[in-house]
Amino acid sequence: MNITQDAQVRSARPEDIPGIQKLLNHYAKLGDLLPRTKQDLANNLEHFLLIEEKQTVIACGSLEHFTPELAEIRSLMVAPDIKGRGLGRRIVEQLIGIAKERNVGRLMALTYVPEFFHNLGFRTVTKEIFPEKVWGICVNCYKFENCDEIAVLLELNQAKS
Ligand SMILES: CC(C)(COP(=O)(O)OP(=O)(O)OC[C@H]1O[C@@H](n2cnc3c(N)ncnc32)[C@H](O)[C@@H]1OP(=O)(O)O)[C@@H](O)C(=O)NCCC(=O)NCCS
């Protein structure tokens, strides 16, 4: 199978939680992504898209709202052995499509790979323009005092015009 072209992106289901968490734990140990509990994943499962191969989650990402007009791409990841084959792009493009359908004006992410997001039309911005994120979520994060993640933003209203 040509993974990049043939694999279907689909919504996550409860039985996907262990696979999502396994991949997330891998990147959390490396410090690339924030760990999330099974309960947190279960609470947000409806926001996840994923690609599976042979009943294994090989790519996923979620679209989570702060407000109706501000949403974040979270827990975006591709299995380590198949990075760089377009799966991350496919997940993000579908999440952007969903955000547009919902009339999200601003789509943001915190990341160590801003270049990946720049390729998809995002630009680097200062985190302080997202007080909803900083004081709602980051404040509870172990990295809060010394966060070195980079904020990226895609303005969808502008992208449409
Ligand atoms: C970041 C990640 C999701 C990208 O997914 P991917 O499938 O490897 O990337 P893609 O193959 O879809 O790449 C799309 C484009 O971005 C570029 N790109 C991908 N990763 C990049 C990186 N680390 N630095 C710079 N450019 C990158 C690719 O070259 C490609 O460019 P092109 O379209 O001009 O050829 C994946 O590498 C990953 O899981 N990384 C570890 C977890 C992580 O950091 N997630 C991001 C959290 S916000």
Side-chain angles (χ1 to χ4, degrees), residues 63-134:
L63 180 73
E64 300 180 33
H65 282 255
F66 295 107
T67 67
E69 78 85 32
L70 174 62
E72 177 181 17
I73 291 181
R74 289 193 71 186
S75 304
L76 173 69
M77 53 200 164
V78 172
D81 51 334
I82 48 169
K83 287 202 288 193
R85 290 165 66 173
L87 297 187
R89 173 189 282 275
R90 285 192 56 199
I91 296 276
V92 172
E93 284 176 346
Q94 295 236 7
L95 293 175
I96 291 172
I98 293 170
K100 283 181 178 168
E101 280 168 17
R102 291 184 191 160
N103 284 320
V104 168
R106 294 178 299 154
L107 183 59
M108 56 82 64
L110 287 186
T111 187
Y112 290 113
V113 286
E115 299 86 356
F116 166 79
F117 285 94
H118 294 164
N119 257 314
L120 287 154
F122 289 72
R123 66 187 167 92
T124 293
V125 293
T126 173
K127 290 190 236 349
E128 283 65 37
I129 67 172
F130 306 117
E132 301 91 338
K133 169 75 178 176
V134 174

Side-chain angles (χ1 to χ4, degrees), residues 54-66:
K54 295 180 186 157
Q55 295 172 336
T56 300
V57 176
I58 57 171
C60 68
S62 72
L63 180 73
E64 300 180 33
H65 282 255
F66 295 107

Side-chain angles (χ1 to χ4, degrees), residues 18-36:
I20 295 172
Q21 199 173 36
K22 190 174 170 200
L23 203 50
L24 187 55
N25 286 345
H26 169 81
Y27 285 117
K29 275 188 197 144
L30 296 174
D32 290 343
L33 291 180
L34 294 178
R36 299 179 76 167

